[in-house]
Amino acid sequence: MEKIPDSPNFHEVSEERKGLRKTVKELGDNEVIIEKHYKEPLETVEAHASDFKIDNFGGLTGAKQALRKQKTQYEEKVLQDGANIDHEAILQTTPEIGEVQKVLEDIADLKDFRMRRMFELLSPDTSMSVRKRNEAVLITIKEEIKSKEEVIEHVDPLVLRQTELVEYRENLAESGHICITPGVERDLEAIGDRMLTGKPMFLHGPTGTGKTSLARYAATHFTGKDPEMIYCSPQTRESTVFGKTGIRPARGGSIETVEIYGPLVQAMIDGKAVIFDEFTALPKEQMVFIKGVFNKKVGDSMNIVGNGIVEIAPGFQMIFTANLKSEKNPERQDLPPEIKREFEQNNLEVKYTPPDESYDIMLSRLLNRDGTLDMSFYDLNTTLPNLCKVMAEIQESYTNETDKDVARRAGALDASGKTYSLKDLVMTQGSVEAILQGWLVEKQTGKKERSFSEFLDDRFKTALTFKAYPKEDRILAAKILASKGFLLTLDAKDLDLPQDIFKLNTIKQMRGEEALSELRKESGAVRHLTLKEVAELDPFGKRAEILRNQAESLLSGEVSESDPFLSSLNKKMGKIFGKENRVDVSEISINYTYTNPQTNKVEHQETIDVSIETKLTDFISFYKTTSVDLPPDFEDTMRDIWERNFDEIQKSIEENGFNDILIIPSTPDIGDLSKKMKMESGYYDGINSNTTVQTLDGIPFTNQNSDKPRIILYHNRTLPEVQTTTGLDVHLNITAEDAMKLFKQHPDKHMTLPDFLILEAKIFKRSNIHISDWNQKSGQWLNTQSGTRLVGSYWYPDDHELDVIAYGSARQNSRLGVRPSRCFY
């Protein structure tokens, strides 16, 4: 009789029942918690357990077989759940990910199958007919892999990137901390190629590069079996490795001799890998006793003292990991010459993860189950990338010597040009993963309400106050961190280090509490990003470079603007990966959300799309109709400003919600400009109505940088609307004196009178409305002076005029404010 279709997985039921019973036992007599949370689930699982009947499976044998199958199914389910990825939710938003995953899995399976056939082909026990078949199979596999890789080449890069992040997240769940990034994949392929020879493999590299984890993963992946482990130390003996003869009681009270196999011999018998971890911790004389195994191959017999003769089964492989003897590891042993020769062609240096791959691993670890991610744009685009760069600089200082530029920036270069390098302290991928795991736990428990940057500084404090490290190490590491903008929330006394560690932190030196407040605000502005938005992040320009290279290989040189395919490709490069490709960057698309920090309520959401090409066409048409003469290189100049400042423009839009731009040529003659920008009844200058605004009371205007072409980001709304949709302070009702202070502090964040005239005229021409309407409290202080007085302006609807008036320092008005903006030259 077959198992009834709707019966539960009894292995899962058994595991769940054991867990619930254990928890209830731990609670003892706490009836409140048991009654509220555990009584009903336990009753349910007990009822499911009572449904188990051997007869339903055709007897005891059938029941055992079914339970074994259910155990396998349960373990697969646990593994899938452990991946912490809700594939159903992800595929609902981007179903193409499932298709791409399937192709990538097919490629991986084909490569693994190819490896197994190669092992079989190289085995001396393989018959000639099998060899010939395998040779033909390998040709077909190569063709299949190529055809599937061609499919991947035509996948939308953004979909491919999303799939990559999901794959990384699953890697981390399955292996704990091995993520198959391009660098790891290259190392695995190198290990696999060397394993085909059957020769011993030697992995070496500095502390924290993941040599042992990589060896374990490679051994299991290529042989399908978990490796035997030998943890080397001065106390390791030959019997620990090979085994020994022992005794045990036998029938009738007698004693019998038994063979106790060591891990090396067990690996030979079972046909799997054996890993000698930290091999250089062995004394030299003990390394040599391994040499006798080096030249043995699959099928050979070996006489093991005390264990007799064993035959080496297919799949046997020796892998060694070690830190080489160096200034950092003086206690390690040099490899004897005869051992060095064995490893000469079969060694691999395992290096630290490069910053761009570290960033990808961090993103993957931070993903929610549905592929979304909760973090501020500031932390994603600044904090995490800088953390990766700092980690690389600290690793470089630890493995080699402190880079001169890093030392100079961190103030760690002495008068003679010498630098101190780290002796013991090093930040590894494992260190960062522990930090991120702590951040996820803190968010889940809600123990503290603080930004990611504050949390990060606190974790740095834990490391930098660990006095097991030399003080010189802690000082240098702190200086490197501070030079990248970290430790902003800490003081030197918090770290028990000299005050000068912050000397090169220009942000902290110049702005003090304001910098700290701004950091908390930016880091605390958490956004809920979709997987697509996460995939669009590219702070290292890595995917931009890949796509650009693909485009260049297609173009073979010049880009034809008339080619629709190339035009489409360039736009995609600009929108998705364009930060580093200035020529091709033309568009920005941002999903902006403003969450009120007091109420934690989303007050405004908006998709902001800005295209420099569209805006150029629009403004050139506007200037043509208003008879503004443009220089012949106007378009090239504006594109250059856009491209040079693209990162900062995008960042400003992301952080401030700017939803429009002004493209302005050089405007030194304000009288001529005002004549061409005239609207309705013209202007009022505080004395009378005019056709132009040339001066105020005969005093010329002072406009900073009005002689330069510029791009200005602004909000296409009245000032009160700006405040409610972004939370930015528009400074209504401040005095002229306070406005002047703001302008002096941040001159590139405020409009001048020429900018304002163009803004008003452009919006009026397009929408027939006035953005600075007096009745809507949207008048503006401008970064323009007439003598010592500050200029303010607004549209006065009763007279259909634009008022331009200069005010003394004490003047204020509840209808005048400061419009947030950002100017780029």
Side-chain angles (χ1 to χ4, degrees), residues 789-820:
R789 296 178 298 166
L790 188 67
V791 174
S793 189
Y794 50 85
W795 181 262
Y796 197 69
D798 293 350
D799 296 330
H800 300 276
E801 291 178 329
L802 191 70
D803 286 9
V804 180
I805 306 174
Y807 297 100
S809 62
R811 184 65 182 271
Q812 68 185 107
N813 193 299
S814 62
R815 297 174 186 270
L816 283 177
V818 177
R819 176 173 294 280

Side-chain angles (χ1 to χ4, degrees), residues 4 21 24 32 65 77 154 170 180 224 243 252 286 291 312 330 398 515 517 519 616 633 639 679 687 709 777 785 821:
I4 52 176
R21 284 178 172 177
V24 169
V32 174
Q65 291 175 347
K77 180 175 180 293
H154 291 87
E170 291 178 336
I180 314 302
Q286 291 177 225
K291 187 179 181 300
I312 300 176
Y398 175 79
S517 176
L519 175 69
L616 268 174
D633 62 346
R639 287 193 185 98
M679 299 167 289
I687 299 175
K777 296 185 177 182
Q785 288 184 244
S821 59

Side-chain angles (χ1 to χ4, degrees), residues 241-260:
V241 176
F242 287 98
K244 57 188 178 182
T245 302
I247 57 173
R248 68 180 180 188
R251 289 183 180 180
S254 62
I255 299 294
E256 65 179 354
T257 301
V258 293
E259 295 167 346
I260 303 173

